[in-house]
Amino acid sequence: MHKVDVLIIGGGISGLASAWWLARSGLSVEVWEAGERPGGKIMSTRQDGYLTERAAAMVLNFRPEVAELVREAGLEPAKTARQPAAEVRRYLLHRGCLKALPMRLSPMVASPLWSLRGKLRLLAEPFIFSSGRTDETVSEFITRRLGREVLEKAMEPFVAGTLAADADQASAAAVLPRLMALEQRYGSIGAGVLVNRILRRRTASVTETFSFRDGMGSLVEALAKTPGINMRTGHVAQELARERDGWQATAATPHGQRSVSAAHVIVATPAPAAVALVDPLDNELAELLRGIGYAPVSIVHTGVARDAVQHPLDGAGFLAPKGESATLTGNLWMSTLFPDRAPPGKALLTSYLGGARAPHVADWDDARLLDEALGTLRSLIGLKADPEMVRIDRHGEALPMYHGAYQARMQAISARLQHIPGLHLEANYRGGVSVRDRLVCSHAVADRILGARHWPSVERKRREEAECRAKTVCGLGAMGVAAE
Ligand SMILES: Cc1cc2nc3c(=O)[nH]c(=O)nc-3n(C[C@H](O)[C@H](O)[C@H](O)COP(=O)(O)OP(=O)(O)OC[C@H]3O[C@@H](n4cnc5c(N)ncnc54)[C@H](O)[C@@H]3O)c2cc1C
């Protein structure tokens, strides 16, 4: 039977990034992906000169691990930064019209979007006491700290539009861990942001939003092609069994069954697929995973003539709060966000529908989805003509909703895993759904595996690299002598 150090089940960004960190250290890694291509939800498609994204469209990064992976995977030259217009402005649907949503505190306080009462409430934030609770929902936490207006006009649309979740049910500790940490550490979000801004300036750590010239697909494609990663598509993992020294896993493949023996296994699938694999090993763990709900999301990409839109499209796009009764949770102006997303003189507008707010949208056919998206764009940004390019993507289980006592569920999952050495669960239902969080969490899981035992292959790779460095230094030394 084929033997590897680590087998990874699931070839989305979580599985591929885990594979990348491990292979880079010298471990032999095999990735099983049920689908025909690596990348999972992430896929970039070129159609009629437009570049569309099926899931993640960009990375908002402030973590060194992400910068390291992008650099070391050779992706730096392929990176493309968010364009300046999209950097500074995004819009909010407010009383049926789009209003600029200020991204910084001082213009936020001056903005007509907030009532005087809302502004005063915002300024009172540093004087609000901590509740001492760790089980607050996003709505409870934001209303307590920043007031009802910030919840309704900023946080609820953000949670619905970017996480497909419901602020009234989403766990603040799971969805807003950094804001909660600021409260715990500094007693106030505002004070914490200020202190962090000063510290960050000192450590020169950069925050940037980027994609790649050929879209986010470049990231998953580059990782899947990394030397040392044996990428197997069309491999549907069916069974995991403990062995004396690790694991044996079996997959259904187009060529029949394939079994592999591995010291460690990372299950990097969505929770429902993980349930089927871990149920025979640990019923309680399977039960905890079963309780994670997912929301469906449908995406309507429309390519239009730029002059058929009255709005200046001078921002990242807009979000729609619940109270505005729009079916769209948001619309991103992709051609403003990044260069070359649309042919010259055209615009690419991407609408998101569904999520926890409107799961029934998943049952709509393409014509109804398009009608709904176009109706909203006509009334909000003055779209005057029919689109010349339409593409519709659907995810039945788009994103895990971090609803209920989510942190307690995650802690219970970690506790169960303590009793199953060599088994790891690494996907977007643990530690954040964003690509940034996926890269950071996969780095942590790789670290745990590397530290779990002595790996002769890692030792060998380190030795070879040290010898190579020494040879280069000697070579340079010799060249120096010759030059003298
Ligand atoms: C519409 C949308 C927009 C988004 N926008 C952004 C954004 O702009 N920025 C951002 O940072 N994030 C964004 N995200 C979030 C991000 O794209 C996802 O959280 C991330 O791609 C999920 O990666 P994953 O590897 O955890 O899961 P997946 O991508 O779902 O990968 C899991 C893989 O496991 C495979 N699998 C399942 N069962 C088996 C099995 N039995 N055997 C083998 N393989 C199996 C599946 O086929 C799949 O390929 C967005 C998500 C969506 C849905």
Side-chain angles (χ1 to χ4, degrees):
M1 190 189 314
H2 187 61
K3 266 187 120 136
V4 291
D5 292 324
V6 184
L7 173 70
I8 298 175
I9 299 173
I13 186 66
S14 302
L16 290 171
S18 306
W20 188 84
W21 295 112
L22 292 164
R24 192 176 74 134
S25 299
L27 293 189
S28 59
V29 185
E30 182 158 316
V31 180
W32 287 355
E33 166 52 44
E36 287 169 4
R37 42 161 279 282
K41 302 243 171 10
I42 294 177
M43 186 171 92
S44 310
T45 306
R46 285 207 182 271
Q47 184 175 324
D48 305 333
Y50 293 88
L51 179 65
T52 65
E53 299 285 5
R54 191 167 175 266
M58 66 197 98
V59 184
L60 167 60
N61 185 41
F62 46 81
R63 294 290 299 242
E65 299 92 323
V66 175
E68 182 186 344
L69 180 140
V70 169
R71 193 180 55 247
E72 300 294 316
L75 282 161
E76 200 63 42
K79 249 170 80 178
T80 179
R82 183 167 57 175
Q83 302 196 110
E87 192 97 29
V88 289
R89 197 174 292 116
R90 67 185 57 179
Y91 286 87
L92 185 79
L93 176 56
H94 180 59
R95 297 187 184 150
C97 304
L98 294 190
K99 293 271 180 334
L101 181 65
M103 303 308 294
R104 300 215 165 82
L105 189 66
S106 36
M108 191 185 277
V109 170
S111 165
L113 195 58
W114 315 96
S115 68
L116 179 63
R117 196 186 155 97
K119 287 175 190 171
L120 291 173
R121 180 63 182 78
L122 193 60
L123 293 173
E125 194 276 333
F127 308 104
I128 305 288
F129 286 107
S130 162
S131 71
R133 282 173 57 192
T134 53
D135 61 347
E136 280 177 299
T137 64
V138 168
S139 296
E140 286 168 342
F141 175 71
I142 294 295
T143 307
R144 177 172 62 75
R145 284 233 66 91
L146 299 160
R148 188 93 208 147
E149 260 188 65
V150 175
L151 172 71
E152 288 170 358
K153 294 180 185 166
M155 196 49 81
E156 186 283 327
F158 167 78
V159 168
T162 63
L163 304 172
D166 176 353
D168 289 342
Q169 296 182 62
S171 148
V175 169
L176 307 170
R178 279 173 281 276
L179 291 191
M180 287 204 79
L182 289 179
E183 181 189 53
Q184 272 160 22
R185 190 143 180 221
Y186 303 103
S188 146
I189 296 173
V193 168
L194 205 64
V195 172
N196 276 353
R197 195 165 286 169
I198 294 164
L199 290 180
R200 208 172 277 164
R201 264 191 206 137
R202 271 199 206 135
T203 56
S205 117
V206 202
T207 299
E208 57 170 353
T209 301
F210 64 89
S211 176
F212 299 93
R213 263 200 315 274
D214 291 322
M216 292 295 293
S218 303
L219 172 64
V220 285
E221 283 157 23
L223 296 182
K225 284 187 197 144
T226 304
I229 298 178
N230 186 4
M231 180 76 224
R232 302 272 180 158
T233 52
H235 277 49
V236 185
Q238 292 188 313
E239 201 187 336
L240 265 180
R242 278 185 229 235
E243 280 185 333
R244 199 169 56 88
D245 215 9
W247 296 89
Q248 185 184 317
T250 307
T253 83
H255 313 290
Q257 277 205 335
R258 174 179 160 83
S259 291
V260 159
S261 166
H264 284 249
V265 173
I266 300 176
V267 178
T269 68
V275 168
L277 292 168
V278 306
D279 204 2
L281 305 169
D282 185 325
N283 198 253
E284 262 183 61
L285 178 57
E287 224 22 72
L288 288 162
L289 291 169
R290 217 174 258 126
I292 298 172
Y294 278 72
V297 172
S298 301
I299 307 135
V300 182
H301 311 272
T302 42
V304 299
R306 178 64 193 83
D307 57 12
V309 183
Q310 285 176 332
H311 195 281
L313 300 181
D314 53 348
F318 66 84
L319 289 169
K322 185 156 61 177
E324 294 286 332
S325 65
T327 334
L328 269 62
T329 53
N331 180 260
L332 284 182
W333 302 334
M334 293 294 182
S335 43
T336 307
L337 272 159
F338 296 106
D340 304 323
R341 301 286 139 150
K346 314 284 180 187
L348 175 60
L349 312 169
T350 300
S351 307
Y352 298 86
L353 297 91
R357 201 194 276 172
H360 60 277
V361 166
D363 301 329
W364 291 0
D365 63 14
D366 286 1
R368 176 137 190 226
L369 284 173
L370 181 60
D371 261 9
E372 200 68 43
L374 291 180
T376 308
L377 297 181
R378 281 188 193 111
S379 73
L380 293 182
I381 59 169
L383 175 63
K384 293 280 174 246
D386 285 341
E388 58 174 48
M389 188 282 301
V390 173
R391 181 184 167 85
I392 295 183
D393 288 314
R394 293 166 182 272
H395 299 282
E397 289 170 347
L399 287 164
M401 293 177 294
Y402 287 23
H403 283 180
Y406 205 80
Q407 289 308 73
R409 186 182 296 280
M410 290 302 114
Q411 279 158 11
I413 287 176
S414 301
R416 297 305 311 165
L417 285 170
Q418 295 283 321
H419 303 289
I420 320 177
L423 180 71
H424 311 266
L425 299 178
E426 158 54 14
N428 64 355
Y429 58 86
R430 287 185 93 196
V433 302
S434 72
V435 170
R436 177 198 63 238
D437 289 337
R438 299 295 76 241
L439 300 185
V440 171
C441 290
S442 62
H443 179 261
V445 85
D447 256 5
R448 280 201 297 281
I449 291 174
L450 289 163
R453 60 152 85 176
H454 173 71
W455 299 96
S457 52
V458 173
E459 203 54 50
R460 207 166 38 246
K461 183 151 193 229
R462 277 193 195 135
R463 246 193 342 264
E464 281 166 11
E465 281 173 357
E467 279 167 19
C468 184
R469 267 198 305 275
K471 270 190 202 146
T472 315
V473 171
C474 289
L476 289 174
M479 277 163 65
V481 169
E484 273 172 21

